[in-house]
Amino acid sequence: MTISVFLLDDHEVVRTGLKTLLEAEDDLEVAGEAGSAAEALARIPVAKPDVAILDVRLPDGEGVSVCRDIRASVDPPPACLMLTSYSDDEALFGAIMAGASGYLLKQVSGTSLVSAVRSVAAGGSLLDAHLTASVLSKLRGEGNQQDSGYAQLSPQERRVLELVADGLTNRQIAAKLFLAEKTVKNYVSAVLHKLGFERRTEAAVYAARRKPRPPATR
């Protein structure tokens, strides 16, 4: 069975290198490529790849946003493998929330990248071990310092926070709650201020951790 892969990176030389690496394998083929978020959002639904390798930082957006959007709009959604030059906890938080199957640094070996593509195509999930350890350490260290801020949130602010944690944009939240997009933006700013966060991804991770876990089944 051939695994189709889509490449998103704003550097042509990187895309060429990845294409050469992947197509040297009998079971892998590149179904399409893009150099910007806008191109990727237009081309991925047509290509319908099994795996999308997405650069995290792009001139017109973020690979994490592309991951979230295509996983919500493409059926069946491709497994998203985030590839970046930077060890960025914030981007890793975002990748996890967007439903990415993997997050690797560009320093990864070609053999490891090929293995990662096969793994996520088969339904597996993988994250760079060092980045994962850093994120888990940060999550454990947060404690309950935001809980007092959460208690100050209004019911509407808590609802907005829940939708942020679900990965919705301000426009999507506005449509869902029948509010103006500017009003939602103000709500998000208020939530971040009360919780002591600078970025919405931090608030999303915090909200996701507050959700009760389903009881274990026997």
Side-chain angles (χ1 to χ4, degrees):
M1 179 178 177
T2 301
I3 299 170
S4 60
V5 183
F6 191 94
L7 306 176
L8 168 59
D9 196 291
D10 58 324
H11 295 99
E12 183 180 1
V13 66
V14 173
R15 298 198 306 273
T16 300
L18 288 173
K19 185 174 182 178
T20 300
L21 172 69
L22 296 174
E23 294 198 331
E25 304 294 322
D26 293 337
D27 60 333
L28 304 179
E29 68 174 7
V30 174
E33 59 182 84
S36 69
E39 289 178 352
L41 291 173
R43 296 174 183 176
I44 290 177
V46 178
K48 291 187 177 297
D50 300 307
V51 177
I53 298 179
L54 310 174
D55 189 10
V56 169
R57 300 188 181 185
L58 299 163
D60 63 337
E62 298 180 343
V64 169
S65 298
V66 173
C67 172
R68 181 179 61 243
D69 290 347
I70 63 175
R71 287 192 58 79
S73 61
V74 179
D75 185 25
C80 294
L81 186 59
M82 312 306 300
L83 197 60
T84 180
S85 300
Y86 307 94
S87 178
D88 185 345
D89 285 354
E90 188 67 28
L92 179 52
F93 286 144
I96 293 172
M97 299 304 297
S101 298
Y103 188 103
L104 297 173
L105 298 179
K106 287 184 178 178
Q107 294 90 322
V108 67
S109 68
T111 301
S112 296
L113 178 61
V114 168
S115 296
V117 169
R118 290 177 177 140
S119 177
V120 298
S125 178
L126 59 98
L127 293 167
D128 181 275
H130 295 294
L131 291 177
T132 303
S134 175
V135 169
L136 292 177
S137 176
K138 183 174 182 179
L139 288 176
R140 285 194 294 266
E142 283 180 350
N144 297 319
Q145 60 182 347
Q146 279 77 37
D147 287 350
S148 59
Y150 184 83
Q152 299 175 28
L153 298 181
S154 68
Q156 186 74 309
E157 287 171 341
R158 293 184 183 186
R159 179 59 178 152
V160 168
L161 177 60
E162 290 175 0
L163 295 175
V164 168
D166 289 337
L168 273 65
T169 64
N170 286 354
R171 179 173 297 181
Q172 291 169 328
I173 294 173
K176 196 172 186 67
L177 298 182
F178 303 101
L179 298 172
E181 188 173 350
K182 183 176 180 180
T183 300
V184 172
K185 183 177 180 180
N186 291 336
Y187 272 125
V188 172
S189 296
V191 168
L192 295 180
H193 176 73
K194 290 180 180 180
L195 294 179
F197 292 127
E198 294 183 0
R199 303 186 184 186
R200 65 189 292 136
T201 307
E202 294 176 300
V205 172
Y206 169 76
R209 293 180 64 213
R210 286 188 58 88
K211 291 183 179 180
R213 297 181 179 180
T217 57
R218 298 189 179 184

